[in-house]
Each structure stands twice: as structure tokens, then as C-alpha cells.
Amino acid sequence: MSDMRSLLRVGSTDPDVPVDLAAIDPNSTPGLPGRKTTGRDPKVWARAELELMGAELATQQEMLFAQATVEPQLGRSVLLVLQAMDCGGKDGAVKRVAGAMNPLGLHIKAFGPPTPEERRHDFLWRIRKALPPAGYVGVFNRSHYEDVLVVRVNGLAPESVWRPRYQKINDFERRLVGAGTTVVKVMLHISRDEQRERLTQRLVDPTKHWKFNPDDLDSRAKWDDYQAAYGEALARCGTDEAPWYVLPANRKWYRDWALAHLLRETFADLNLSYPQPDYDLAAQRRRLEADG
Ligand code: AMP
Ligand code: MG
């Protein structure tokens, strides 16, 4: 399999040319081996592989944490930024993929509308406060990108305010990466039909009523505006330092499998290992044995 990152990467060419989301099929499954290769139903196979990858991610995360504990000044962190239209599957992806890792090493933050206090500060203020410390895997369920998405589409701020934010975001992320955080930005891409399906579920299934928000229907009515706003954000902020990936997300089992792959590749680049002890191992063992 070619690596997932090159398959899903967008926006690396011309920042002035928006990413055309309509050209990416939300039902597609890039990188997924076919039934002929695996000999199994793709969904069953992907779910089983996700379990194996989850264990690997947990080990990688532990090494990240261990290294930062032993050498805090060299400690690194990973930040996964998840964006999607409503019902895009962010919560499910957090549960299934981040959920495979140790909760102790996770730093998860969901961003809703800014509070009155947050509104008094620059849009990146609340983001900076939520960044993962060294050794942690951070997950943003929505992010600073809302400030060029919902803010733009709903006219919550004039263009003279949101337009300069692309550059501010790029500067912010470049500094973040320079300081030792690997940033992985993923847009979970669903179709308008799939969103209808999922919204319907939320209205039909009493255990999902709480997830439905009547405002979601207003956002849905602005689907094309959102897709355009996404297209521009992906193009302007899909940088080499902090790339954007568009992950076809109509199929939940593919979504989770592909996201786990992206994270695995990200960890692999970090070349993590368990730290060597800074004490004399043999001497400590002798001490313990002498202790009886
Ligand atoms: P949910 O993720 O379903 O809990 O919804 C969170 C809501 O917060 C969404 O409707 C977002 O559009 C909204 N939101 C998140 N960040 C911002 C922001 N910076 N400005 C305005 N609305 C936001
Ligand atoms: Mg919602």
C-alpha cells in the first residue's frame, strides 16, 4: 500500500486554488486492500486491522510519553485536528481511534462557540491554552479552523477579520511544529446524502436525540458555502509543515481504519523508542535482590 498520507493529502500545490471537495468521493476507500488481497469482507477486515493498529498506537503513545517524562526538554507531542460537517463522524473517530490509546496520555478538547471570555481574546487564545503538553497526543474536535469556516459562512465577523486568519493560522502552526508538535489535520468528508441519513437517525433513535441540534439544519442549508469555505481553508493552510488530509468518511469502518493509518505513519516518522535508564540497571537489581 502506498502511504496513506500521500493518498489523502490535499492543498500542497497552489494556495490560491481551492480544494474541490466535490471531486473527492466520500464513499471511496483509498488505500484499502481489496477482497482479493485480504480474502475477507472489507469491513470485517478493516475492523480487525484497526484493533491491531490500535495496540500499536498505544505503544507509540507510551513511548512518546516515556521520552517526555525522562527528557522533558526533548519531549515532543502530536496534535490531531479533526474537522467535518455536522455528523461527519468526529466523535466516532475519537472514540474508536483515540480510544485505543491510554487516556492518561491523551489531551482531548472539543471547541464549541466561544464563551464571552474567549470572545474578548484573539481567536487563537483558547487554542493555545488547549495545546497538548510534551509527551501527549492532543485531539481537537473542531479547532481554530472554525474561525474561517462557521465564522465566514455565517458572517460572524467581516471578511476583513477572517481573511487574514489563514496567514495567522499558518504562522501559528509553523511555530507549533518548530517547537516539537507534529500537527495532523484531517477533514472527515461525508456527502450531503450521508448527512441526511445521520441527521435522520438522530431524530428517529431516542438514544441519539441529544445529539441533534436544530441549528444543524441551518448549517445543512448552507452546505455549498461550507464546502467552498473548506476548500479555501484546505488550500491556504495545507502546508508542508502542517498538511491537511481529506478522509472519505461515509463508511465509518474505512474512516477509522484510515485515520489509524495516518497516525501510525505519523508516529513512525518520530522514530520513537523506550528511553534508556539513566541509572545503573545492574546495580539497582543487585540492591533489590540484597533486600531479600
Ligand atoms: P458540536 O461539535 O456538534 O458540539 O458543535 C459545536 C458548534 O460550535 C458548531 O456548531 C460549531 O460551528 C460551533 N463553533 C465552534 N467553534 C466556533 C467558533 N470559533 N465560532 C463560532 N462557532 C463555533
Ligand atoms: Mg453537533
Side-chain angles (χ1 to χ4, degrees):
M1 192 190 80
S2 21
D3 78 289
M4 195 57 76
R5 287 178 299 182
S6 33
L7 287 173
L8 302 182
R9 173 92 191 259
V10 294
S12 47
T13 39
D14 186 349
D16 290 329
V17 179
V19 171
D20 181 13
L21 284 167
I24 303 175
D25 180 1
N27 273 312
S28 61
T29 57
L32 186 81
R35 201 184 284 261
K36 278 211 189 82
T37 311
T38 64
R40 299 178 64 188
D41 171 68
K43 177 176 176 179
V44 173
W45 180 84
R47 281 283 182 229
E49 232 219 359
L50 174 65
E51 195 136 324
L52 299 176
M53 273 193 290
E56 255 180 71
L57 294 179
T59 301
Q60 293 286 327
Q61 179 205 21
E62 187 172 62
M63 292 192 290
L64 185 76
F65 194 85
Q67 285 192 347
T69 304
V70 171
E71 284 184 289
Q73 69 290 358
L74 295 179
R76 302 190 51 92
S77 57
V78 172
L79 175 62
L80 172 65
V81 172
L82 288 176
Q83 283 288 157
M85 299 293 286
D86 295 315
C87 303
K90 301 184 304 305
D91 295 350
V94 171
K95 184 167 146 184
R96 295 267 191 168
V97 181
M101 293 184 254
N102 185 343
L104 265 182
L106 290 175
H107 201 80
I108 300 178
K109 175 77 182 166
F111 291 97
T115 63
E117 189 191 14
E118 287 169 349
R119 251 184 263 277
R120 284 197 292 275
H121 294 83
D122 175 75
F123 76 108
L124 292 171
W125 182 73
R126 64 177 185 162
I127 304 296
R128 286 198 182 89
K129 286 207 306 180
L131 290 171
Y136 285 79
V137 174
V139 182
F140 282 179
N141 185 333
R142 302 189 193 266
S143 63
H144 42 301
Y145 283 92
E146 292 293 330
D147 293 282
V148 290
L149 293 168
V150 65
V151 168
R152 168 180 174 163
V153 172
N154 284 348
L156 303 179
E159 180 163 359
S160 59
V161 169
W162 59 256
R163 176 135 322 261
R165 286 181 176 164
Y166 299 113
Q167 189 57 49
K168 289 180 184 180
I169 289 174
N170 288 344
D171 293 343
F172 166 70
E173 291 179 354
R174 189 176 314 107
R175 276 196 295 274
L176 189 59
V177 171
T181 299
T182 302
V183 180
V184 184
K185 301 180 297 194
V186 179
M187 189 232 177
L188 302 176
H189 178 45
I190 57 165
S191 62
R192 196 156 187 271
D193 284 348
E194 181 66 20
Q195 188 192 54
R196 171 194 288 278
E197 239 354 90
R198 295 185 187 182
L199 284 169
T200 305
Q201 273 310 308
R202 290 181 180 189
L203 288 172
V204 167
D205 179 350
T207 70
K208 292 185 177 165
H209 290 347
W210 65 276
K211 286 195 204 179
F212 184 84
N213 179 346
D215 292 346
D216 293 351
L217 294 182
D218 299 314
S219 305
R220 178 173 168 78
K222 298 176 187 159
W223 181 273
D224 291 342
D225 291 345
Y226 269 105
Q227 297 287 298
Y230 265 106
E232 185 161 355
L234 296 169
R236 296 207 177 283
C237 302
T239 59
D240 287 338
E241 297 88 12
W244 261 114
Y245 303 98
V246 172
L247 199 160
N250 270 9
R251 300 169 204 260
K252 295 173 181 173
W253 49 269
Y254 171 78
R255 172 198 75 200
D256 299 337
W257 177 84
L259 182 60
H261 259 288
L262 277 181
L263 288 177
R264 182 162 81 167
E265 289 168 13
T266 302
F267 275 127
D269 272 4
L270 294 179
N271 283 314
L272 297 167
S273 59
Y274 283 107
Q276 296 298 314
D278 60 355
Y279 50 84
D280 181 340
L281 202 61
Q284 296 302 319
R285 288 182 63 163
R286 281 196 300 275
R287 266 182 75 195
L288 185 61
E289 278 157 21
D291 188 40

